[in-house]
Amino acid sequence: MRTMDSGRLRRLCLGLALASLSPLAVSAATHNPAPDVPGRFDTAVAAGLPAVISIGARDPAQTLATTPAHDELVVRRRIESHSTYSDASPVELYDVQFRGRDAVALRHGTNLHITSIDDQMLRSTAFKTGAEDPTEDALPVNGGAPQGAIDEEPAHESVEDLADDPADEEDSRDLHIFAFVHDDVRLNDDDIFARFFGWWIKRMEFDVLEDRRVHVHLRRNIPGVTQPSYGHKGALSQWIDVAREYLHPELAPPSTIMHSRDILLVNGKSVEPGAAGIANGQPGSYAMASTVGSIAVPAHEIGHMLNASHGNAERRFTGPFSTCDTIMYPVDPTVLCKAYSLPNVDRIRRLMDYRRPR
């Protein structure tokens, strides 16, 4: 018998070893786990802004240069808001561009939630640490309902009598919105911020009150405060009576907050008969708003509390056959401008003792 030389023996052993590998073993060796988008986002932010993150690539050979532009997340800057969710944990807001659209990113816990308003749609993409694919959602700006009146304009009050006292401390000049979430609202905190507050905070800090920060604090499950009846005449007055008795942890004496407003978010279409929202005055301190229908309703009622009016709203022409409605337009917008009109910006600034930044 001829003895096999050592070279042939090594080749034979290698071939047998490769043949013994199962398809599952090969697959496991070459599998590319889903990218940790929230973690990559944090790493990019820590390295300094602006930053560009490739989102959609699953193939490790697919680099930023070969990834389509619509899969890029451009993180431009952090929005200097210290907003909080209902468990008092902070949520970070960022000015971003995603899939070629101007957007807002919310970073909280294991979630990264990106929201943009594109013509008639609010588009949302949520990434979660450990999840292979994002959750995508699209919601009509007007909630999918025909245009209808949002509210009746509240009574006009004297700005001189109701304007907040000017304060010299920078922190006390910030605007704080306390948003109480009625017990019947099924949206989670991420969804509430994505639909109603993220884009609004960005516009307030960039276009309206650049001289201060704007914060929104969610409140849930407060006995006597977050489960009142509504949909009937006088519902706002009844809620105001109990809301005035609630002591905000952020307002414990000695208070450093001079500018604050309270709003109750409810699940019904009407907070009072025929009204998707209502404020106690123009300007005022209390309001109610429906989470059903137009995403602009809470911003609309906050606008009334800050002295913005229907009469100064605008329907803007944005192209040969296109328009958008500013936030205080009295009818649900089909296309939302994401902005208060310049006359309403001026009214808000005068109430808030606006000081032009350097």
Side-chain angles (χ1 to χ4, degrees), residues 125 165 168 297 332:
T125 304
D165 293 332
D168 292 329
V297 174
D332 290 332

Side-chain angles (χ1 to χ4, degrees), residues 149-151 269-272 274-278 288-290 292 297 301 332:
I150 293 178
D151 60 5
K269 293 182 179 180
S270 299
V271 296
E272 290 201 5
I278 187 173
M288 297 173 71
S290 172
V292 178
V297 174
E301 299 310 324
D332 290 332

Side-chain angles (χ1 to χ4, degrees), residues 172 250-258:
S172 65
E250 289 86 350
L251 295 178
S255 174
T256 59
I257 296 178
M258 302 298 295

Side-chain angles (χ1 to χ4, degrees), residues 153-174:
E153 189 150 89
H156 292 256
E157 306 290 348
S158 169
V159 174
E160 288 73 21
D161 293 339
L162 293 182
D164 295 325
D165 293 332
D168 292 329
E169 299 83 0
E170 290 301 317
D171 287 346
S172 65
R173 290 175 53 76
D174 289 358

Side-chain angles (χ1 to χ4, degrees), residues 199-216:
W199 61 269
W200 177 79
I201 291 172
K202 177 177 172 177
R203 293 275 60 88
M204 288 292 290
E205 290 207 5
F206 288 9
D207 301 334
V208 183
L209 296 175
E210 309 100 311
D211 63 335
R212 71 197 75 199
R213 298 185 178 108
V214 177
H215 320 287
V216 173

